[in-house]
Structures are given as structure tokens and as C-alpha cells.
Amino acid sequence: MTFLVSQDLSFRIPVELSYDSSDPYAVEITFHLPGDAPVSWAFARELLLDGLSRPTGEGDVRIAPASPEGLSDVFIRLQVGCERALFRAGAAPLVAFLDRTDRVVPFGQEPAACDPVGDLDAELHRILAEDRFAG
């Protein structure tokens, strides 16, 4: 990714994208800034997906395509209070990353991944039935 410090100053920084199926709605980006400890930001996976094609986000994380024509670079703006950081990333690696997350937990299937028990009513019924037969 490119860290856009100002209109005249920018530099490439290594980043790590990660996804954990135990938190299927979120993705995490870890920035490795020179001379500083790594900084991680977690935000909605769907926000990253939507930001590839249109400006999206409110508050601390905003994502928008760099160009209105086709799949291009993406701007990612992070904000804490009045402090802001702007990054530019290629869309292709982000699409590839999102594709890999979709193979782990398909988009729209996050609720099933969040609920290890599945249908809570059915599970409670099963537990109560076992207790009745056991005692």
C-alpha cells in the first residue's frame, strides 16, 4: 500500500490483510510503518467489498475507488479524532483477499459462522430431552 502523507509526499509500506472465521464480519489490516510498532485496524468485510466500487463508510474508516471507471486503485482513509491517515491500494489484491475470505465464510453466511450452536431453540430442546431421558 502507499501511505499518502501529503500531496507531495508518499511512500510504500508493507501491510498484512487477515481474516478470522470466528469474527466473520470483520477483516483486519496491519500496517508496518517504519520505526513504529505495527498498527492494526479491524472493520467490516462488507465495507471493504463495497468500497471497491463506490465511496462507503462513516466515521473512522472510509473506502472509495480512486477512479470512477472500472476496478482501479482504492483509497482507504482511517481517522482517530482529528488525526487522519490516507492509503492507496491496488484493487486486484483486495479482490483476491476478499475472494479468499468468501471461500472460508461466504458473504451472507456470517450468521451461521457466528452461531456455533446453530438453531438455539433446537439445541435447547435437544439438551432438555437428554436431561429428561437421563434422569
Side-chain angles (χ1 to χ4, degrees), residues 85-98:
L86 182 61
F87 301 89
R88 186 174 185 139
L94 297 176
V95 168
F97 169 71
L98 288 169

Side-chain angles (χ1 to χ4, degrees), residues 41 47 56-63 77-81 84:
W41 280 74
L47 180 72
T56 189
E58 297 177 5
D60 295 347
V61 180
R62 295 174 189 236
I63 303 173
R77 180 190 311 229
L78 307 174
Q79 183 171 341
V80 176
R84 293 182 185 165

Side-chain angles (χ1 to χ4, degrees), residues 38 89 121:
D121 287 335

Side-chain angles (χ1 to χ4, degrees), residues 18-29 41-50 63 97-98 101-102 104-115:
S18 58
Y19 180 72
D20 184 345
S21 62
S22 68
D23 188 5
Y25 291 100
V27 294
E28 186 173 277
I29 298 180
W41 280 74
F43 53 88
R45 176 171 70 149
E46 195 166 323
L47 180 72
L48 184 57
L49 177 65
D50 291 346
I63 303 173
F97 169 71
L98 288 169
T101 70
D102 188 59
V104 175
V105 177
F107 282 95
Q109 298 299 312
E110 295 90 351
C114 284
D115 185 5

